[in-house]
Amino acid sequence: MIVLVDSGVANLASVVAALRRLGAEPVVSAEAEVLKKADRVILPGVGAAAAAMAQIRDKNLIEPLRGLTQPVLGICLGMQLLFEGSDESGGTDGLGILPGRVELLPASSDTPVPHMGWNQLDIVAPAHPLLRDVAHGAYVYYVHSYAAPVSPVTVASTRYGAPFTAVAAQRNFMGCQFHPERSGDVGSRILRNFLEL
Amino acid sequence: MLAKRIIPCLDVKDGQVVKGVQFRNHEVVGEIIALAERYRDEGADELVFYDITASSDGRSVDRSWISRIAAVLDIPFCVAGGIRSLDEARQVLANGADKISINSPALENPDLIDRLAAEFGNQCVVAGIDSRREGDDWYVYQYTGDETRTKATRRRTLDWAQEVVTRGAGEIVLNCMNQDGMRQGYDVEQLRAVRERVSVPLIASGGAGALEHFAAAFREARVDGALAASVFHKQVLTVGEVKSYLRDQGIAVRL
């Protein structure tokens, strides 16, 4: 059973559709017991970090999420929430599962923020199974203003002005800063890899 | 490197995809899902669906097709057409659209842009601007989906482009009306003028007819994406041909 965490602010429809295209039938839930029993958990997210964390806190999901031992995939904001905190909206705590803090992307005239569109993956750790059969330089779809700096949990980065963490992984927790559900064949491959972990 | 985007645009009228010339005389060109799948398979980076009658009829977009599109598409898509309120925008996004584009309603009520950006984030709020040259300047037009109701506003395009960004639009699609459906090339001069005024992604729209037109918009006007309809609907060019050509020209595209 694959469970999508209903944080109340995520665009779940496109993730649900992407998983269905792969033959999975995801369950959407905000119940700790349902999450605990899942084979895999996906934490999607669109919107602001503080609002999403407030929802997770209100639903008493902070400890249950931290305690998950099955494969967990955070997508976009969902990935950012796995870190210790984010500088968004004056600063907010994250789940603290992955080390490091999410920062605003540096804007310039060549790199307006939000970073929006298709950009390339530089694969740092090709051995990671989440990126099996994903080519160096493959394009994935981004829509975000904040990102985690490159760190020891980075398994792929993307350059936009400076490099940032595109894919992070530590133990059973993984995250994609881009939207695999909107990243064509490359994104489908990554979701399929996650389902086959 | 961030890729330049090729964006087929599907004008939707009464549940079918149509295309006119200079916003008039619409003819049916195909079924929504079939065309969406074709463009996805050809390598489109994004799709835009405009319910072109919604604003001029004073009704909101018919949303039954949005979730069907979301179920088949694995690339982002934007929905436009008479989105007048936060609730309407929320429904469109909840049905799986990645972005909403507002045009005539933003001209009626510019504050709508601020409220949409505050609620959903500026990354999913696109401002569509229909613009026409008059003398040596460009002006914004409203209700362009219905030729009997299309009207000129007294807003200068360059002023309005700046205002929508200040209010929170995360992207601008500039429809150059003089060029629409003519396949004579994008209005590079106008696009360049808007590019110099705003820092958000700018999408060229109106006039694509040949491979060189795409390269000119990217190279000379430094737009982030190029939107086209009739050239793709009539299979004058495929998305794949355009992208291969651009790659050979040294322009970063996703292939």
Side-chain angles (χ1 to χ4, degrees), chain A residues 143-154:
Chain A
V143 181
H144 65 126
S145 299
Y146 290 80
V150 172
S151 78
V153 297
T154 304

Side-chain angles (χ1 to χ4, degrees), chain B residues 8-26:
Chain B
C9 175
L10 295 83
D11 287 351
V12 178
K13 190 173 187 177
D14 304 324
Q16 286 184 299
V17 179
V18 300
K19 184 59 199 151
V21 172
Q22 289 186 310
F23 291 58
R24 288 158 193 256
N25 302 320
H26 293 103

